[in-house]
Structure formats: structure tokens, C-alpha cells
């Protein structure tokens, strides 16, 4: 924020403060959140003592412990650099804002190498035209004018709580599972949290555990192997393990019969936002995006509108769409970075950008599981 002019009395200070708060509220839905950098003065960002205080509070809030004093110093430097980035960007962007979160002690490279995990091998890459566009798209005939203005599958009890992939490039498994949980809830009325770990351990044909994968390969695995177990019976380990389902009957280690089945999956026609919205009006949809932009690391709220490219590196799940108060159309996206990131673990991403790939390439590689009633 710009350095405030020297003020001579308290009431003027208060007035300025109120003006500042009000203009922020007008700018975005409700901009400052607890522990956001928004609201800190220039002083806070230049005074060494204030910065140390801020860092200590950050460490306490996210239960950070560093192995040595040197490490702590190093992390403090990274933290300050991130803080400057957040402050700088918050002055430039208007429809969303950045804030400190648990990733604030990671350099951007560290972050990118740890928390993503999409390997768009066979599908996508954008250059080849691909052959999937000839596939079945069951929502093709849907009349766009008949679609609701907004859809939020969270409100229809079709979305489980936000999960956390942690330091494992398993986003593809989380994206897959959220879409399967969604169609299962819609078809059966039973919202059950399902196992990402099973996909990491067992869906190895095309997928690579903590080193990346693709949602379509995972859908294919679930359809071909009799379904997916519950999260409870096959919990997340944040690392690759041995597949606990065997073809032989009676394996002691094998969890009970798979809980949820799907019939198959379909791809949303590429680079076609209207098709994505048609599908999304009917069920949560797995989407791939480029999430390696630095602002993604610190997204804290609002309708995100970049900057980002379209080189897909992260799998997430679209769970709705709508229009914000300022008229920005968005897609609601469930991420797998825990509930402290973004809007309680979600990000609203701008749609209707006129780029056919969509913001961060979100229209490029969408797909969804199918399930017969
Ligand atoms: C929902 O599905 C899960 C997994 O199949 C099952 O354990 C649970 O009993 C079901 N709940 C209801 C209310 O049917």
C-alpha cells in the first residue's frame, strides 16, 4: 500500500483507515483476511523488527520448525522475498488478492517441484490436434440457454472436504477422486470420500504416483478394476506404496470390496468453454491447468485472472460456476493444497476470457467419469 501521508491527529488517522478499508471492500468481495498482507503498512514491510514478528507469527500459525538456525535464516529471506512479491502484486491486480499462507517460506521453484503433478503425456500438450475430440460427449445436445446461471455442487452435497496432497505430485489422483465422488453422490445420493492412495499405488498404467499422472488413465483404471475403495479403508500416505488390492482372493491386507464404481469416462471437447459449462452443470469435472505461476502459490481470494500460461501442470476439479458481484464470470475449482490455501481450499477462476484455451488452459483437457444409475 502507498505510504500514508504524515497525520497529525488520531481521528484523521482513523478516517483514513476507514476510507482505506471501505475502498478495499468495494474493490473485491471482502479483501483483507486475517494474516493477509493487505492491511500492513509500508512500515511493516521495511522494519526489520516487524518483519521478524510477522515471520514468527507465520511460523507459529503453520507450526513451522526449522532444523537449524541457518535454515531459519534462509527461510526468513525467502519469506521476505515472498512478502514483497505479495505486496507488489496486490497493488497491481484488482479482482483477486494474494496473502501469506503455509507456502510463504518456499521459493517458487521449490513450490513448483513439490505441489503439482500432472504429466500431460498422451493427451493435450496443445500442439497436436489429438484424437479425443471425436469421442462421445453426452452433454453435446444440452441447450445452453436452459442452463442455470450458477451451479455449486458443494451446496448439493456432491463435494467432500478439501484434501491435501502434501509433498507428492499426486494432484491427478485428487482431481480424479473428486470427480468420482461427485458423480457417485449425484447418482446414488451417497457422498463418500474415496481413496487417492489406491490410485497412486495401483493405477500405474500411464500414471507415475507422486511423480505425476493423468486423470483419464485413473478413470480408466477405476472403470476396469471394479471401482475404488473409500478413503477410510485405503487412507492417504503422501508417498507411493504397494498396491493393496490383488487379483487373488483372501489377501489379508486387501481392504473390503471396492465401494464405488463408475461406468467409464468421457472427454469434454477441447478448448470449448461452453462444452465445459454444459458438463459442469451436470457434474463435477476434472480439469487441468497451469498452476505454476507465482501468484497461484499465494492466491488468497477473489476471481483469479492470471497471469498464467496454458502449459498444463496441475490437475484439479471444477465444481461449479457463477458470476461475481463485479460481473466477472468464474469457474469454482477445488484444489488439493489443504483448506488454508485460497478460499478455504478453492479458487474462483475467471471464465469468458475470449482465449479459447481458457484461463490457465482450463478448457484444454477436461474430462468426467460416467456412472449408470
Ligand atoms: C455410502 O456408501 C458407503 C461406501 O459404499 C457405505 O459404506 C455407506 O454405508 C453408504 N451410506 C449410505 C447411507 O448408504
Amino acid at each position: 500500500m502507498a505510504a500514508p501521508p504524515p497525520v497529525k491527529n488520531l481521528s484523521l488517522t482513523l478516517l483514513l483507515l476507514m476510507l482505506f478499508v471501505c475502498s478495499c471492500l468495494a474493490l473485491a468481495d471482502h479483501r483483507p483476511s486475517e494474516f493477509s498482507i493487505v492491511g500492513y503498512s509500508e512500515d511493516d514491510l521495511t522494519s526489520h523488527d516487524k518483519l521478524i514478528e510477522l515471520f514468527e507469527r507465520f511460523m507459529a500459525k503453520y507450526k513451522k520448525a526449522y532444523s537449524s538456525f541457518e535454515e531459519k535464516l534462509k527461510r526468513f529471506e525467502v519469506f521476505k522475498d515472498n512478502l514483497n512479491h505479495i505486496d507488489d502484486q496486490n497493488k497491481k491486480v484488482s479482482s483477486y488478492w494474494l496473502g501469506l499462507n503455509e507456502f510463504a517460506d518456499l521459493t517458487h521453484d521449490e513450490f513448483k517441484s513439490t505441489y503439482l503433478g500432472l504429466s500431460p503425456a498422451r493427451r493435450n500438450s496443445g500442439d497436436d490436434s489429438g484424437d479425443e475430440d471425436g469421442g462421445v460427449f453426452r452433454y453435446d445436445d444440452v441447450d445452453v440457454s436452459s442452463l442455470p446461471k450458477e451451479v455449486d455442487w458443494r451446496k448439493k452435497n456432491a463435494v467432500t472436504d478439501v484434501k491435501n496432497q502434501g509433498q507428492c505430485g499426486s494432484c491427478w489422483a485428487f482431481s480424479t477422486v473428486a470427480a468420482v465422488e461427485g458423480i457417485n453422490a449425484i447418482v446414488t445420493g451417497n457422498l463418500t470420500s474415496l481413496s487417492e492412495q489406491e490410485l497412486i499405488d495401483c493405477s500405474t498404467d500411464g500414471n507415475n504416483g507422486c511423480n505425476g499422472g493423468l486423470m483419464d488413465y485413473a478413470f480408466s483404471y477405476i472403470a476396469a478394476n471394479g471401482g475404488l475403495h473409500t478413503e477410510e479403508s485405503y487412507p492417504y500416505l503422501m508417498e507411493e506404496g504397494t498396491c493393496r488390492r490383488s487379483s487373488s482372493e483372501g489377501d489379508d491386507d486387501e481392504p473390503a470390496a471396492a465401494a464405488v464404481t463408475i461406468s467409464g469416462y468421457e472427454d469434454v471437447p477441447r478448448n470449448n468453454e461452453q462444452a465445459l459449462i454444459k458438463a459442469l452443470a451436470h457434474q463435477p469435472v476434472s480439469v487441468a491447468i497451469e498452476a505454476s505461476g507465482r501468484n497461484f502459490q499465494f492466491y488468497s481470494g477473489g476471481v483469479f485472472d492470471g497471469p498464467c500460461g496454458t502449459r498444463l501442470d496441475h490437475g484439479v476439479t471444477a465444481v461449479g460456476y457463477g458470476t461475481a458481484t463485479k460481473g466477472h464470470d468464474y469457474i469454482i475449482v477445488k484444489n488439493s493444497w489443504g483448506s488454508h490455501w485460497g478460499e478455504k481450499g478453492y479458487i474462483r477462476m475467471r471464465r469468458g476470457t475470449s482465449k479459447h484455451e481458457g484461463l490457465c488452459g482450463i478448457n484444454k483437457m477436461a474430462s468426467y467419469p460416467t456412472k449408470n444409475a
Side-chain angles (χ1 to χ4, degrees):
M1 302 298 110
V7 286
K8 292 182 183 63
N9 61 52
L10 185 64
S11 58
L12 183 55
T13 313
L14 282 174
L15 182 67
L16 283 171
L17 195 66
M18 282 169 65
L19 282 174
F20 171 76
V21 170
C22 293
S23 61
C24 272
L25 287 175
L27 268 177
D29 291 345
H30 41 268
R31 198 166 160 121
S33 63
E34 184 224 353
F35 221 69
S36 155
I37 186 160
V38 176
Y40 289 97
S41 73
E42 208 70 28
D43 269 2
D44 291 332
L45 303 181
T46 47
S47 143
H48 189 65
D49 288 351
K50 290 265 176 61
L51 284 170
I52 288 177
E53 196 185 307
L54 208 55
F55 185 57
E56 296 286 352
R57 277 169 58 189
F58 160 82
M59 285 185 61
K61 176 163 181 175
Y62 296 106
K63 302 188 169 55
K64 300 276 182 179
Y66 302 114
S67 55
S68 63
F69 186 65
E70 286 70 31
E71 179 66 12
K72 186 174 173 182
L73 277 184
K74 184 181 154 196
R75 292 297 148 193
F76 181 50
E77 290 307 312
V78 173
F79 178 83
K80 283 191 291 185
D81 187 57
N82 284 330
L83 203 57
N84 281 330
H85 173 78
I86 292 168
D87 183 48
D88 176 60
Q89 288 299 304
N90 278 339
K91 289 169 184 160
K92 290 177 182 158
V93 298
S94 63
S95 69
Y96 70 96
W97 56 97
L98 307 184
L100 288 171
N101 58 26
E102 64 179 308
F103 305 134
D105 60 349
L106 296 177
T107 67
H108 187 52
D109 282 338
E110 288 169 334
F111 179 75
K112 280 191 296 189
S113 66
T114 312
Y115 292 93
L116 303 173
L118 183 90
S119 35
R122 200 183 304 163
R123 282 199 69 188
N124 154 61
S125 70
D127 313 320
D128 58 314
S129 64
D131 51 14
E132 76 275 16
D133 285 19
V136 176
F137 177 54
R138 64 180 55 201
Y139 302 120
D140 204 22
D141 293 337
V142 170
D143 173 14
V144 177
S145 64
S146 74
L147 295 178
K149 286 239 175 307
E150 46 183 61
V151 167
D152 187 345
W153 288 110
R154 294 173 296 185
K155 293 178 182 161
K156 296 183 177 164
N157 206 28
V159 184
T160 60
D161 290 346
V162 168
K163 305 183 190 185
N164 197 341
Q165 69 185 83
Q167 296 177 17
C168 166
S170 54
C171 64
W172 59 274
F174 287 83
S175 167
T176 302
V177 165
V180 173
E181 290 167 346
I183 192 65
N184 184 55
I186 292 166
V187 172
T188 69
N190 181 341
L191 179 63
T192 302
S193 184
L194 300 174
S195 175
E196 289 80 16
Q197 192 65 42
E198 177 175 356
L199 294 177
I200 294 169
D201 296 349
C202 310
S203 172
T204 49
D205 185 11
N207 289 327
N208 199 9
C210 284
N211 294 307
L214 272 190
M215 290 75 91
D216 279 4
Y217 296 147
F219 289 138
S220 208
Y221 164 85
I222 299 168
N225 289 277
L228 200 57
H229 289 85
T230 60
E231 185 83 65
E232 201 183 359
S233 69
Y234 203 143
Y236 191 56
L237 301 174
M238 209 173 83
E239 62 185 10
E240 291 162 26
T242 313
C243 181
R244 285 170 55 206
R245 57 188 295 173
S246 58
S247 44
S248 59
E249 294 293 323
D251 186 332
D252 283 350
D253 200 27
E254 186 172 353
V260 166
T261 56
I262 59 171
S263 319
Y265 71 93
E266 292 170 8
D267 292 332
V268 176
R270 181 201 292 263
N271 296 335
N272 182 336
E273 185 179 285
Q274 207 163 68
L276 176 58
I277 296 300
K278 283 185 196 174
L280 194 45
H282 291 85
Q283 63 181 102
V285 176
S286 291
V287 291
I289 55 174
E290 182 184 295
S292 52
R294 197 172 178 189
N295 284 7
F296 227 88
Q297 184 176 348
F298 299 111
Y299 165 79
S300 177
V303 179
F304 184 75
D305 61 359
C308 55
T310 59
R311 293 174 59 150
L312 309 178
D313 52 27
H314 192 43
V316 288
T317 316
V319 298
Y321 60 85
T323 301
T325 40
K326 275 182 83 188
H328 295 154
D329 290 339
Y330 58 80
I331 292 173
I332 307 165
V333 170
K334 184 187 192 188
N335 201 350
S336 49
W337 294 344
S339 59
H340 291 304
W341 180 86
E343 295 182 326
K344 297 188 163 70
Y346 293 83
I347 178 170
R348 283 180 293 160
M349 295 181 64
R350 185 85 184 258
R351 67 188 160 98
T353 59
S354 81
K355 274 173 72 176
H356 63 294
E357 299 103 326
L359 184 74
C360 312
I362 194 169
N363 300 340
K364 282 176 84 176
M365 205 181 83
S367 58
Y368 53 86
T370 58
K371 184 178 175 79
N372 302 326

